[in-house]
Amino acid sequence: MTETIINLETVNPLDFFGVNNAKLDILKKKFPLLKVLSRGTQIKLSGAPEQIKAATEKIKLAISYLERNGSMSNNYFDQILGGDDVEVIDNFMERNPNEVLVFGPNGKSVRARTANQKKLVQEAEKNDVVFAIGPAGTGKTYTAVALAVRALKNKQVKKIILTRPAVEAGESLGFLPGDLKEKIDPYLRPLYDALDDMIPADKLGYFMTTRTIEIAPLAYMRGRTLDNAFIILDEAQNATDLQLKMFLTRIGANAKAIITGDMTQVDLPKNQRSGLKTAARILRNIPGIGYIELDEEDVVRHRLVKAIIKAYNAEHERSTEREESK
């Protein structure tokens, strides 16, 4: 008689055990010679070694399916446990699972959808620091957050840190109601929205409470050393040279960083210069630092967004030509 414990830390135990422990009952029926106990986020198996080995393999397949799809019916669970071959899983898994970065609530798949988004994923896998520069709607932030969530789920990092400069886009923070957090949160809202698409609300709340996921203004990064973390600096075009240098020198051991920005939407005061262009230029040839530029062909928002970006780019080129001809 031997025992083993299987952890369910990467999935919601309720999704695994089912309503009223329906899936747990299926597991017990499939392996009647084993004693199966559920303890919070763990399953304890007791019995003969060969029975435990067989059950463990099936349970891990079910966990893998649940991690990737976000949900699992009792019928799927029954078939996964009863299959003699990994091909059983292929009936339910997507044919190209490597393209999926993460599965969100209700099985929503998040993947790189354009050529440059796929290049961003490749650059992030090869390098510890990546600059992703491009216009609005090209999926820079969304893809970066998906990579961070995947790294956390795969235990490649211990925490995710998302940060943005709290710079007004033609408005004044001082006139907004509330305390400092309430004033700043609207600037960080896009990061919350991306996480909402990828992590169930209860688990996201837990991660935020335990600071496994941290969302904070860029100024809060000063003086810190960020180890074992996936760090994203969003809207980096609104960071000055000194702020970007400060951020980049926070990166600690076993950490990855993605810096995203749009050089056409700089909201800094006229007497301040964006540090993003300088940083991308002087750092891009350093081994371990990647660079990817996205364009209007990568826009995945409303179809008109692509046309709007093209119109503004054309107007910018005309204005530049007029200035140069004077």
Side-chain angles (χ1 to χ4, degrees):
M1 175 81 69
T2 59
E3 293 183 352
T4 191
I5 292 176
I6 302 171
N7 288 309
L8 303 174
E9 294 174 348
T10 59
V11 298
N12 185 336
L14 179 60
D15 292 332
F16 185 88
F17 292 126
V19 178
N20 297 323
N21 285 328
K23 293 192 184 78
L24 182 63
D25 291 339
I26 294 172
L27 177 61
K28 290 178 178 178
K29 288 178 182 177
K30 289 290 182 180
F31 296 95
L33 300 180
L34 288 180
K35 183 178 180 182
V36 182
L37 296 175
S38 62
R39 294 181 175 178
T41 60
Q42 295 181 331
I43 300 173
K44 181 180 178 182
L45 304 177
S46 303
E50 62 275 11
Q51 285 282 311
I52 288 179
K53 181 181 177 182
T56 299
E57 289 175 355
K58 298 299 182 183
I59 290 169
K60 287 183 176 179
L61 283 175
I63 291 172
S64 176
Y65 178 84
L66 193 53
E67 284 175 341
R68 293 165 62 189
N69 290 272
S71 61
M72 175 174 55
S73 71
N74 292 350
N75 182 51
Y76 283 8
F77 187 63
D78 182 77
Q79 292 191 51
I80 290 171
L81 294 181
D84 297 324
D85 203 301
V86 177
E87 289 182 5
V88 172
I89 310 302
D90 289 338
N91 294 324
F92 314 113
M93 297 286 197
E94 296 197 34
R95 292 297 175 184
N96 299 304
N98 291 336
E99 292 184 4
V100 177
L101 298 176
V102 66
F103 281 94
N106 303 316
K108 177 182 178 180
S109 62
V110 178
R111 68 180 72 221
R113 293 169 58 183
T114 70
N116 283 328
Q117 287 176 13
K118 290 176 182 178
K119 286 181 182 178
L120 172 54
V121 173
Q122 292 167 0
E123 287 295 312
E125 290 173 345
K126 290 187 299 183
N127 300 286
D128 287 337
V129 176
V130 177
F131 287 88
I133 298 175
T138 51
K140 308 180 299 294
T141 301
Y142 200 76
T143 304
V145 172
L147 285 166
V149 171
R150 183 180 71 172
L152 183 65
K153 283 190 171 184
N154 292 341
K155 299 184 188 290
Q156 294 169 334
V157 297
K158 293 182 179 178
K159 62 165 52 179
I160 295 172
I161 298 173
L162 310 175
T163 184
R164 271 184 159 201
V167 175
E168 304 95 330
E171 301 172 67
S172 177
L173 269 172
F175 291 104
L176 292 173
D179 58 19
L180 181 61
K181 183 180 185 302
E182 290 169 329
K183 290 175 187 288
I184 289 172
D185 267 358
Y187 291 89
L188 305 175
R189 189 69 251 172
L191 301 174
Y192 288 101
D193 290 342
L195 288 170
D196 285 340
D197 274 359
M198 301 175 200
I199 301 176
D202 57 341
K203 184 169 283 190
L204 179 56
Y206 171 77
F207 283 154
M208 300 287 284
T209 301
T210 58
R211 299 178 73 83
T212 302
I213 295 179
E214 181 181 347
I215 304 178
L218 179 58
Y220 286 26
M221 297 298 108
R222 188 174 299 278
R224 299 179 63 182
T225 300
L226 307 174
D227 295 329
N228 301 303
F230 201 116
I231 316 150
I232 297 171
L233 171 58
D234 192 34
E235 299 286 353
Q237 77 276 1
N238 289 328
T240 64
D241 284 326
L242 286 176
Q243 286 175 322
L244 257 172
K245 181 182 177 183
M246 178 273 292
F247 170 79
L248 290 167
T249 53
R250 300 306 94 205
I251 300 171
N254 191 40
K256 280 184 171 285
I258 296 181
I259 298 95
T260 71
D262 176 4
M263 291 308 304
T264 68
Q265 296 195 53
V266 178
D267 299 317
L268 288 166
K270 293 188 182 297
N271 62 342
Q272 293 185 17
R273 186 180 68 176
S274 171
L276 178 59
K277 191 173 184 179
T278 302
R281 175 176 56 82
I282 67 176
L283 302 176
R284 65 186 296 177
N285 292 323
I286 296 176
I289 296 181
Y291 179 90
I292 178 70
E293 194 162 330
L294 299 96
D295 55 36
E296 62 266 15
E297 296 305 315
D298 297 296
V299 170
V300 291
R301 290 180 183 168
H302 193 285
R303 61 181 178 79
L304 289 176
V305 174
K306 188 181 295 187
I308 290 167
I309 291 172
K310 286 184 176 179
Y312 272 97
N313 286 344
E315 175 60 21
H316 176 71
E317 290 174 6
R318 286 193 293 268
S319 298
T320 302
E321 289 173 359
R322 286 196 295 266
E323 289 294 325
E324 291 176 349
S325 65
K326 287 182 181 179

